[in-house]
Amino acid sequence: MTDWDLRKLRVLRTLDELGTVRATAEALRMTPSAVSQQLSSLSTQTGVPLLEAHGRRVRLTDAARVLLRHTDIVLAQLERAEAELEGFARGEAGHVRVGAFATAIPRLVVPAVSALRRAHPGLTVKVHQADAAEVYDLLSAGEIDVGLSLAAQAPTGQDSRFDRAELLTDPLDVALPAHHRLANAPGPRLADLADEPWIYGDAGPWRDITVAACAQAGFVPEQAHVAADWRAILDMVAAGLGVALIPRLAAAGRTPGVALRVLPADQPRRHVVSAVRSGARERPWIALVTRALGEAAANVQSS
């Protein structure tokens, strides 16, 4: 029976995700030569070629993809094994790393961590701010244990490496200058703002969400200004530079000079999800953290 080395399998998995030996080496904090040696050794061990030349790069063979399919199953099962073993040590100190995009931290992560510190002083939670799309890379690399992301940023297809659960539906409100003609109008619609200057990011999920919501309303928003930081966007709206869609998680509190209006007819929204590596949701400490995040999300939805 083959004596499998999980480190080599993780190197192969990372190469498949990142595409190059150099990127794999940087992600795993290895040298490119060490990555190549690990992959060569794994190929020798399995008795089949795992890589083939593809121009100036390499790509995985069909045999390597078969191996990865089984690797994902094995890694998920090992997470479950660790979950059962942790059950014997529930009274010991635990450590969970949570990765989350910026607007999820104040309203979801901070309340959850505060509640956990009171109820479970032996549990340490480390927070790692990351872009919504980056969360899955951090989970895959083992740098975080629980990730908060957007459903729109999930890996395509049925990716067996992750276990996802919807946490929160976050409505999008429109931010208007306080003196805007629709600031106090009943039932504003996105279509009413088709000719307005818009403020949103140049790339990333928020640009996609804004453009998609406006397209659903029948127009392409004119991007008058580029900004991705919510504080900056709200300040620009207050100055009368344009209008913007703002997730309710990001709009806690009032901003002088800004009228935040609900869009009842359009009801644009984004979906916040929690994600863990497959099999890890059963681990006691991770289960505590995901439960606390769920309770924080429920409090936000009911407020």
Side-chain angles (χ1 to χ4, degrees):
M1 183 176 178
T2 304
D3 185 13
W4 295 102
D5 186 337
L6 290 178
R7 291 172 298 178
K8 296 174 184 175
L9 295 173
R10 290 187 188 278
V11 170
L12 184 65
R13 161 53 67 202
T14 305
L15 176 64
D16 180 46
E17 293 167 5
L18 301 182
T20 67
V21 170
R22 181 172 297 278
T24 299
E26 291 176 356
L28 298 178
R29 296 181 176 86
M30 300 170 65
T31 64
S33 62
V35 168
S36 297
Q37 289 171 7
Q38 292 275 12
L39 294 171
S40 177
S41 174
L42 183 59
S43 182
T44 300
Q45 185 179 15
T46 58
V48 294
L50 298 177
L51 302 176
E52 57 187 7
H54 183 61
R56 300 180 63 182
R57 304 174 69 176
V58 294
R59 65 183 177 189
L60 273 61
T61 64
D62 290 341
R65 300 206 173 278
V66 169
L67 179 58
L68 280 182
R69 189 171 70 248
H70 291 283
T71 294
D72 291 339
I73 295 171
V74 169
L75 293 177
Q77 193 60 40
L78 286 174
E79 291 278 4
R80 294 186 181 94
E82 288 186 19
E84 290 189 27
L85 291 174
E86 283 188 17
F88 290 102
R90 290 175 185 268
E92 298 177 2
H95 183 79
V96 177
R97 299 158 299 173
V98 177
F101 57 97
T103 53
I105 291 176
R107 303 286 304 281
L108 298 177
V109 178
V110 170
V113 173
S114 297
L116 288 167
R117 290 177 68 181
R118 292 191 297 271
H120 303 278
L123 174 61
T124 300
V125 180
K126 178 181 179 181
V127 180
H128 183 140
Q129 181 179 328
D131 291 337
E134 185 187 1
V135 161
Y136 293 99
D137 293 335
L138 294 172
L139 278 170
S140 181
E143 295 187 21
I144 62 173
D145 304 300
V146 179
L148 298 191
S149 185
L150 301 176
Q153 296 300 305
T156 57
Q158 298 298 316
D159 196 321
S160 61
R161 292 172 297 157
F162 307 111
D163 174 6
R164 292 184 292 273
E166 181 155 337
L167 193 62
L168 176 74
T169 297
D170 190 18
L172 313 180
D173 299 326
V174 64
L176 305 171
H179 55 74
H180 192 277
R181 57 188 173 82
L182 297 177
N184 297 304
R189 302 191 60 162
L190 269 178
D192 299 331
L193 302 168
D195 296 326
E196 297 286 339
W198 282 80
I199 307 167
Y200 55 90
D202 196 35
W206 199 244
R207 180 189 187 282
D208 298 341
I209 288 172
T210 298
V211 171
C214 292
Q216 187 71 23
F219 69 96
V220 176
E222 175 205 346
Q223 189 175 33
H225 306 282
V226 177
D229 177 79
W230 298 118
R231 184 70 267 158
I233 290 175
L234 288 168
D235 285 346
M236 293 168 76
V237 171
L241 300 183
V243 302
L245 283 178
I246 303 291
R248 207 163 288 174
L249 279 179
R254 293 186 176 275
T255 300
V258 174
L260 284 170
R261 300 300 311 280
V262 176
L263 296 160
D266 300 287
Q267 294 186 322
R269 62 193 64 200
R270 63 179 183 173
H271 298 276
V272 180
V273 299
S274 68
V276 300
R277 289 180 293 277
S278 290
R281 201 174 288 275
E282 302 164 25
R283 298 176 65 174
W285 293 117
I286 289 180
L288 282 175
V289 171
T290 56
R291 190 178 307 123
L293 288 167
E295 291 169 357
N299 289 335
V300 169
Q301 295 271 223
S302 63
S303 62

